[in-house]
Amino acid sequence: MSMKRERDPELGEDDEDEVPAKAVRCKEISEDCRSRHCPYLDTINRSVLDFDFEKLCSISLSHINVYACLICGKYFQGRGLKSHAYTHSVQFSHHVFLNLHTLKFYCLPDNYEIIDSSLEDITYVLKPTFTKKHIANLDKQGKLYRAYDGTTYLPGIVGLNNIKANDYANVVLQALSNVPPLRNYFLEEENYRTIKRPPGDIMFLLVQRFGELMRKLWNPRNFKAHVSPHEMLQAVVLCSKKNFQITKQGDAVDFLSWFVNALHGALGGTKKKPSIITKVFQGSMRIFSKKLPHPDLPAEEKEALLLNEEYQEKMSESTFLYLTLDLPTAPLYKDEKEQLIIPQVPLFNILGKFNGSTEKEYKTYKENFLKRFQLTQLPPYLIFCIKRFTKNNFFVEKNPTIVNFPITNVDLREYLTEEAQVTEKNTTYDLVANVVHDGKPSEGAYRIHVLHHGTGKWYELQDLQVTDILPQMITLSEAYIQIWKRREEDDDEINQHGA
């Protein structure tokens, strides 16, 4: 029998001519040899397995041909004679390895493939998959699942590891993962696997990593009740050209704005071509803009200029993915006990910006404009960003004003144009996610409140901590980003969301 063989693509370049003869015989003699029973399966330690981190060899730092040792959890390259995985197996008597790309199991140093149904839970944790039926039932039940480490958790209501200073990104990722149509799209890789991207385009990495993170957050068979967003955040650092970091606190609104626009573009979306992002979040408005004369000019000159066409009000149509709500300037007076009073404002007061008549002055470097806004189309999910921070030349100031808002039944009909009031059937919204910023502008921390659709209960997530929370407590926080769900006519959950 000839011993000549074709190169196995699963063996790295370093393995080319170094495969043990036993493995060659295995391939040529019979298929049964490949899948023979492995005596080392009981040495596998599931409690150390963590597939959330970058898939690279712990020695060579290569991404190519990486195997996980299922006894200690470390990653190694190759499985041929001089490979790091082979050396590790001989040195430490760790024998069971998983190829992180092909999802095949091998016994080293003997180098035969292991096929055993008891290992399916490991491949599922590495690459969770969801059927259409499973996805359709996600919001219909609130079953608690038990992780391998013994903790119970609700899929979707899962803590995210704060590696150093990435809580600003965690809360945005958690908020988006609890928007059902967006979540459902990313749980099924088939929805975006075939999207054509230009050669060398790195932005699609965001789509792939977000999909992977979404499937981990909603995995009912996790080994632990939290997830590390390590690979997702590495893609963010790369694709944002380091504008957003893991090691430096960022702004959640800046990140949200960049992330949804980057996802839209990476999914092939343009101004005219929709993506799942625009289908879920995009609304439209009218902007009425009027140029103002320079304030230092004499009154007669101002009046003369206002008659020019350049200073007449102009209307334009614009789309939006989120609405920025301005807070009134916080007063700094103190009460008789010398304690700083925290002002409060009703949500409907700051929504007045979009009623078509409220005017606000906007200053640019050279010119001043008076603008007013009116909504023309409401999206299925509406994002509010409450403008808490103002940057001046020296530092960033935070406005601590508390926004009072009902959690359900917010009707936005009065902020629509007359034509839109006729065409838009459903204008009532219920809150589904509330991102909070606590503390000072530069060193504060983020947390998020999310509604679990299956149980109708609210949960607070702060990094790895997950606790349930009463709905009335949510309105006492310094809300920064909110996501509201439009009620559809067939919603049978009208008042299930709490007070």
Side-chain angles (χ1 to χ4, degrees):
M1 181 189 288
S2 166
M3 293 295 285
K4 189 170 184 260
R5 66 182 179 91
E6 289 183 19
R7 182 174 182 273
D8 187 338
E10 285 173 20
L11 312 180
E13 291 291 336
D14 54 338
D15 308 334
E16 182 87 38
D17 299 309
E18 302 290 352
V19 181
K22 185 167 185 179
V24 180
R25 283 199 304 278
C26 244
K27 282 187 175 291
E28 294 184 346
I29 295 167
S30 79
E31 285 292 304
D32 294 337
C33 177
R34 279 176 66 242
S35 58
R36 72 176 188 223
H37 178 69
C38 177
Y40 302 111
L41 294 188
D42 60 350
T43 64
I44 294 173
N45 184 1
R46 284 169 171 78
S47 62
V48 299
L49 300 184
D50 190 341
F51 301 124
D52 291 348
F53 292 92
E54 196 177 2
K55 313 294 190 286
L56 51 81
C57 173
S58 57
I59 297 170
S60 67
L61 304 184
S62 168
H63 291 88
I64 301 165
N65 200 26
V66 180
Y67 290 78
C69 170
L70 300 187
I71 287 79
C72 66
K74 289 179 182 171
Y75 295 170
F76 300 99
Q77 187 180 22
R79 67 170 204 272
L81 266 179
K82 289 177 185 170
S83 68
H84 299 302
Y86 184 94
T87 307
H88 177 77
S89 74
V90 173
Q91 198 172 352
F92 293 96
S93 293
H94 292 177
H95 299 294
V96 190
F97 290 79
L98 168 62
N99 184 309
L100 295 175
H101 179 65
T102 65
L103 309 188
K104 290 182 178 180
F105 297 88
Y106 293 92
C107 182
L108 296 181
D110 290 354
N111 208 355
Y112 59 85
E113 185 182 347
I114 306 162
I115 296 176
D116 193 300
S117 59
S118 70
L119 301 174
E120 283 174 7
D121 63 329
I122 295 174
T123 48
Y124 193 87
V125 166
L126 175 57
K127 197 165 185 184
T129 51
F130 292 79
T131 62
K132 282 184 167 53
K133 186 181 177 186
H134 185 178
I135 292 169
N137 287 323
L138 283 177
D139 296 329
K140 292 177 182 170
Q141 47 105 0
K143 183 182 170 187
L144 281 170
Y145 289 84
R146 189 175 293 279
Y148 183 77
D149 63 5
T151 50
T152 54
Y153 70 100
L154 269 172
I157 309 294
V158 175
L160 279 177
N161 193 16
N162 188 352
I163 298 157
K164 192 164 184 189
N166 53 275
D167 51 324
Y168 74 95
N170 284 358
V171 288
V172 170
L173 296 169
Q174 282 164 324
L176 295 176
S177 75
N178 278 279
V179 174
L182 189 70
R183 172 202 67 198
N184 296 353
Y185 178 88
F186 280 97
L187 287 180
E188 277 194 277
E189 205 176 348
E190 294 73 37
N191 288 330
Y192 51 86
R193 188 185 275 138
T194 55
I195 290 174
K196 301 258 187 305
R197 299 301 301 154
D201 173 55
I202 60 164
M203 297 305 281
F204 197 67
L205 190 63
L206 278 183
V207 174
Q208 292 169 315
R209 292 286 179 260
F210 187 55
E212 287 166 11
L213 180 68
M214 204 72 88
R215 290 188 285 278
K216 285 175 181 173
L217 287 172
W218 286 90
N219 181 3
R221 293 157 61 182
N222 266 328
F223 283 175
K224 53 191 183 341
H226 63 269
V227 171
S228 175
H230 195 267
E231 287 188 290
M232 173 79 252
L233 294 170
Q234 281 188 313
V236 165
V237 173
L238 180 70
C239 295
S240 72
K241 298 183 172 63
K242 298 187 178 177
N243 278 341
F244 298 101
Q245 302 271 8
I246 299 173
T247 54
K248 199 170 79 181
Q249 184 68 282
D251 184 277
V253 169
D254 290 349
F255 176 67
L256 171 73
S257 177
W258 173 82
F259 189 64
V260 292
N261 281 290
L263 277 182
H264 171 64
L267 289 164
T270 60
K271 280 191 175 178
K272 292 184 178 175
K273 187 182 174 190
S275 71
I276 186 67
I277 299 294
T278 51
K279 286 175 187 172
V280 172
F281 296 122
Q282 185 172 283
S284 59
M285 66 168 90
R286 279 188 189 152
I287 302 171
F288 301 87
S289 184
K290 188 163 56 178
K291 188 176 173 181
L292 295 174
H294 196 279
D296 296 340
L297 291 174
E300 308 84 55
E301 214 173 314
K302 280 185 189 174
E303 283 176 31
L305 283 174
L306 286 171
L307 298 173
N308 292 353
E309 191 184 332
E310 188 188 351
Y311 289 85
Q312 301 309 303
E313 187 173 74
K314 296 176 178 66
M315 187 197 81
S316 60
E317 299 267 350
S318 175
T319 57
F320 63 85
L321 290 175
Y322 61 88
L323 295 176
T324 302
L325 305 182
D326 305 313
L327 290 172
T329 308
L332 290 175
Y333 55 83
K334 296 179 179 182
D335 65 9
E336 65 277 7
K337 291 181 183 173
E338 290 297 300
Q339 288 177 321
L340 213 60
I341 290 172
I342 297 176
Q344 301 188 18
V345 63
L347 175 67
F348 292 101
N349 281 27
I350 56 176
L351 276 171
K353 173 182 178 179
F354 299 99
N355 63 12
S357 57
T358 302
E359 292 184 315
K360 191 181 178 211
E361 195 172 333
Y362 288 83
K363 297 179 182 180
T364 64
Y365 179 62
K366 289 182 178 175
E367 299 170 315
N368 292 359
F369 290 90
L370 210 54
K371 291 187 180 183
R372 54 193 181 92
F373 307 89
Q374 196 164 22
L375 305 180
T376 52
Q377 190 181 0
L378 292 167
Y381 285 80
L382 182 59
I383 303 176
F384 291 155
C385 295
I386 297 165
K387 196 166 189 287
R388 290 208 172 270
F389 300 103
T390 45
K391 298 180 176 74
N392 59 33
N393 295 334
F394 304 104
F395 54 90
V396 179
E397 277 186 281
K398 182 180 176 186
N399 187 330
T401 301
I402 299 287
V403 179
N404 302 130
F405 54 90
I407 288 203
T408 58
N409 219 20
V410 169
D411 192 351
L412 301 179
R413 186 167 292 277
E414 66 182 281
Y415 308 106
L416 288 166
T417 58
E418 285 182 17
E419 310 92 274
Q421 288 188 22
V422 175
T423 55
E424 293 270 311
K425 286 183 183 174
N426 304 314
T427 56
T428 304
Y429 284 78
D430 299 322
L431 188 70
V432 294
N434 182 58
V435 170
V436 177
H437 181 273
D438 297 307
K440 295 176 183 173
S442 53
E443 56 203 50
Y446 287 94
R447 57 194 165 101
I448 180 172
H449 304 125
V450 290
L451 172 71
H452 184 267
H453 295 81
T455 59
K457 289 182 181 173
W458 281 90
Y459 291 86
E460 180 174 279
L461 291 80
Q462 185 161 22
D463 300 328
L464 296 180
Q465 285 183 302
V466 179
T467 50
D468 48 4
I469 184 170
L470 292 170
Q472 51 268 37
M473 299 299 291
I474 295 167
T475 61
L476 304 175
S477 56
E478 292 176 38
Y480 191 36
I481 300 170
Q482 297 184 327
I483 302 182
W484 296 77
K485 175 188 183 293
R486 183 171 60 194
R487 274 193 201 167
E488 304 301 340
E489 286 172 351
D490 57 350
D491 276 0
D492 52 8
E493 50 192 21
I494 292 296
N495 286 312
Q496 72 160 22
H497 295 173

